[in-house]
Amino acid sequence: MRVLISGMNAWHTGITAKEFNAMEALEALWISNKNPGLPADKYKRIWPYHLGMKPFYHAPFPYLEEKMRWRNLWLYDAWVRRQTLPEGVDVVQCPMGSCSPVFDLADKSGRRILKVYEAMNGHPTTQRGYWQREADIHSPGFVVPISQKVWSRMNREIYRADCVLCPSTYVLESMVNNGVPREKCFLNPFGVDVSLFPRRKALPEPGVFKFVVTGNLTVRKGQQYLFEAFKKLHAEYPSAELHSFGDPRPDFKGLYAQWKGFPNLYLHASVSQKELGAFMAGCTAYVFPSLEEGFARSLLEAMSVGLPVIATHESGATTLLPRESPMIIPPASTEAIYRIMKALCEDRDLLCRLSEESCSKFDVNNTWGAYAKRLLDGYQERVDEMRRTRDSAH
């Protein structure tokens, strides 16, 4: 089994590539980011795309970087079309929006190669709808910075793919609800580096109520509902704290100005994973009320530390936690977030029980090595089935 991974942006694919390489299954990694630690013969940097994006990586307007990420796709396409697909490739795996030119190479090769669309979020139709809806409510005038042309491209990629890689039950459901055959979907939740998020040794001291959320501030991730919930909690527990790690995106600009300076609401910039793991160890719970997500890896990070996670189905949390768990909250519900945060402040036994439940749902299956092994096993089954189908047809 030989896999080629290609993407205009690495996201987590560099980690996947390193795990595949350790299992002697990686043919090549094509990305615009730096080499994540692969042998030189297994890595190609997509220089045209990287250089086209370089002026925008540290631009003062995050909206511009996000917009140009997709507008510069033509540079990625032009580079990929000049490549030759290695002879030994059995699978090509690409994140959403990056599939089209690689799928073209696979089709032109004349060989039966498994084409995998990796869904970083829900189905494009669902993702766009949720995001724009929240922007219309909380940031009037903001338009999602991805053009219709790109959304259409993602839809075509899903249609062309032999396999749609889904990191959560939410993503899988969104695909099926938008007409993607269930058998085409492959559910495989992400992994986490447990060395960066070690299990904490004890719960916070009684009377210490410290909640944490991570990720860029954007209406799609639902922090607007969390901040309102914390406002209600703070009125009853003035010593309670909420720490948000992440930078504000353009659709959250007005909300950020509104909440900046609110008592005990700490708006931090992003920090390293090691720092975040150490900070989480002293927290009461992790809160992630996302309205549209692929699978928030931060949920696994919090569970690895031993925090209860207060999260929506749409965040991907129900991939690991039962839907009836008190930690699962409905989307866009300030009241639901407030109630569970308040309950954790009032009931030490509940905090202990939910911490144990969170720990019990996290195990060796949630490492990156286990993630990669499941991928290879699943790909092998699908490749074998494709070959059996081809042979029977002849």
Side-chain angles (χ1 to χ4, degrees):
M1 175 62 59
R2 308 292 291 177
V3 183
L4 180 142
I5 301 175
S6 179
M8 50 116 174
N9 192 291
W11 282 292
H12 64 276
T13 55
I15 302 173
T16 309
K18 288 174 69 174
E19 295 293 344
F20 281 172
N21 189 60
M23 298 173 184
E24 301 184 346
L26 180 70
E27 186 65 34
L29 173 66
W30 299 348
I31 54 169
S32 64
N33 305 71
K34 293 179 181 178
N35 190 335
L38 295 170
D41 63 332
K42 296 295 177 77
Y43 162 80
K44 282 188 177 182
R45 189 167 195 179
I46 306 175
W47 281 104
Y49 184 84
H50 168 67
L51 294 175
M53 284 300 300
K54 196 169 184 179
F56 307 102
Y57 287 142
H58 303 291
F61 308 106
Y63 177 88
L64 187 59
E65 186 275 331
E66 194 153 15
K67 198 168 188 177
M68 294 308 297
R69 184 189 306 168
W70 300 103
R71 286 200 173 184
N72 279 329
L73 267 176
W74 69 274
L75 293 169
Y76 168 80
D77 290 352
W79 184 91
V80 171
R81 289 188 183 114
R82 294 176 63 87
Q83 307 307 306
T84 301
L85 203 64
E87 285 294 325
V89 172
D90 300 294
V91 179
V92 291
Q93 174 184 327
C94 313
M96 60 186 197
S98 299
C99 305
S100 297
V102 183
F103 285 3
D104 289 342
L105 291 180
D107 290 342
K108 290 176 182 177
S109 72
R111 294 180 283 128
R112 197 70 176 95
I113 295 171
L114 186 74
K115 300 190 293 289
V116 179
Y117 171 103
E118 183 165 7
M120 301 297 188
N121 291 89
H123 190 280
T125 302
T126 303
Q127 181 191 3
R128 184 185 190 189
Y130 276 160
W131 193 356
Q132 190 61 60
R133 180 198 69 189
E134 290 300 312
D136 290 343
I137 296 169
H138 300 284
S139 186
F142 176 85
V143 178
V144 172
I146 304 176
S147 70
Q148 180 57 53
K149 184 178 180 180
V150 174
W151 295 114
S152 298
R153 171 177 169 134
M154 291 181 192
N155 276 313
R156 290 194 300 273
E157 290 175 347
I158 293 171
Y159 179 79
R160 293 180 64 189
D162 302 303
C163 173
V164 177
L165 183 55
C166 302
S168 70
T169 53
Y170 162 71
V171 171
L172 190 151
E173 287 176 7
S174 77
M175 291 293 169
V176 174
N177 290 340
N178 281 280
V180 180
R182 174 62 183 83
E183 60 272 15
K184 193 172 181 174
C185 299
F186 179 6
L187 175 63
N188 190 27
F190 294 139
V192 66
D193 184 345
V194 294
S195 68
L196 297 173
F197 296 91
R199 182 64 45 81
R200 64 181 177 183
K201 295 177 179 165
L203 295 176
E205 292 294 322
V208 174
F209 309 121
K210 186 186 293 186
F211 298 88
V212 60
V213 60
T214 60
N216 288 328
L217 290 162
T218 167
V219 295
R220 184 172 60 83
K221 292 184 181 290
Q223 289 103 330
Q224 61 271 26
Y225 300 104
L226 169 58
F227 291 176
E228 288 288 351
F230 179 71
K231 181 179 179 180
K232 292 187 65 174
L233 182 73
H234 183 263
E236 297 186 49
Y237 291 88
S239 65
E241 298 178 6
L242 174 60
H243 293 261
S244 174
F245 290 87
D247 301 313
R249 306 303 287 179
D251 60 344
F252 210 86
K253 184 177 179 182
L255 291 165
Y256 185 83
Q258 173 187 332
W259 288 103
K260 191 175 182 181
F262 186 82
N264 290 9
L265 172 54
Y266 300 96
L267 301 171
H268 308 279
S270 298
V271 297
S272 70
Q273 288 196 311
K274 187 173 183 180
E275 290 176 279
L276 185 59
F279 183 86
M280 280 184 173
C283 292
T284 304
Y286 180 78
V287 193
F288 198 73
S290 187
L291 307 168
E292 204 293 319
E293 199 76 25
F295 178 42
R297 284 180 285 161
S298 56
L299 295 172
L300 280 173
E301 293 162 359
M303 292 172 73
S304 177
V305 173
L307 269 66
V309 293
I310 304 169
T312 58
H313 164 61
E314 289 78 6
S315 73
T318 51
T319 311
L320 298 175
L321 295 169
R323 292 202 185 193
E324 62 273 14
S325 170
M327 290 188 276
I328 302 301
I329 55 172
S333 176
T334 293
E335 188 62 25
I337 301 169
Y338 159 72
R339 281 200 304 267
I340 184 63
M341 292 172 77
K342 182 172 185 273
L344 290 173
C345 292
E346 293 177 341
D347 190 340
R348 182 80 173 178
D349 289 340
L350 176 66
L351 174 61
C352 293
R353 180 166 62 81
L354 294 186
S355 296
E356 286 301 318
E357 182 180 349
S358 192
C359 291
S360 70
K361 298 298 181 183
F362 185 92
D363 56 29
V364 292
N365 292 319
N366 301 123
T367 64
W368 282 113
Y371 169 82
K373 177 65 165 56
R374 290 193 299 269
L375 279 185
L376 292 180
D377 290 345
Y379 289 166
Q380 188 65 65
E381 288 180 13
R382 289 170 185 260
V383 168
D384 290 346
E385 178 59 30
M386 282 183 3
R387 289 170 178 166
R388 283 194 296 270
T389 303
R390 178 194 60 192
D391 292 343
S392 63
H394 289 83

